[in-house]
Amino acid sequence: MAKWTPQHEAPEPLEGPIVPTIIGGTILWFVLFLVQLPFYGWFDDRGHAWWVWTCLAGAGLGLIGIYYVRRRDAAIKRAEAAGALREAE
C-alpha cells in the first residue's frame, strides 16, 4: 500500500473574530437550555430529557471555550508584539 502524499500545500488557516463567535455560540446554547427548561416534563415523558442537559453542557463547555480562546487571542497578540519589537531593533 502506497503512502498518500498531498498534491499541493494546504492553505493558511482562516483567522476571524473567534472570541465573539464562541461567546455567541455559548449564549445560544444557554438560551436553548432556558427555552426547553419549562418543558422538561414533556421531554422526560418522551425519553428526550437529554436534549435539555445537552444544551446545558454546551453552555458549560462554551464557558471553557471562552476562557481558552481569550487566552489564545492574548498569546497571539503578545507574540505579534514581541515580533514587531524584535524587527524594530
Side-chain angles (χ1 to χ4, degrees), residues 4-69:
W4 179 81
T5 55
Q7 300 297 323
H8 42 38
E9 292 184 34
E12 290 292 320
L14 296 175
E15 289 292 332
I18 295 172
V19 175
T21 302
I22 300 300
I23 291 172
T26 302
I27 291 170
L28 181 63
W29 277 116
F30 190 68
V31 166
L32 288 172
F33 169 72
L34 292 177
V35 166
Q36 291 181 7
L37 198 57
F39 304 103
Y40 182 79
W42 185 88
F43 284 112
D44 195 35
D45 292 343
R46 286 155 182 78
H48 296 298
W50 62 271
W51 287 9
V52 177
W53 303 119
T54 299
C55 292
L56 184 61
L61 290 172
L63 292 174
I64 295 169
I66 291 169
Y67 172 76
Y68 176 79
V69 296

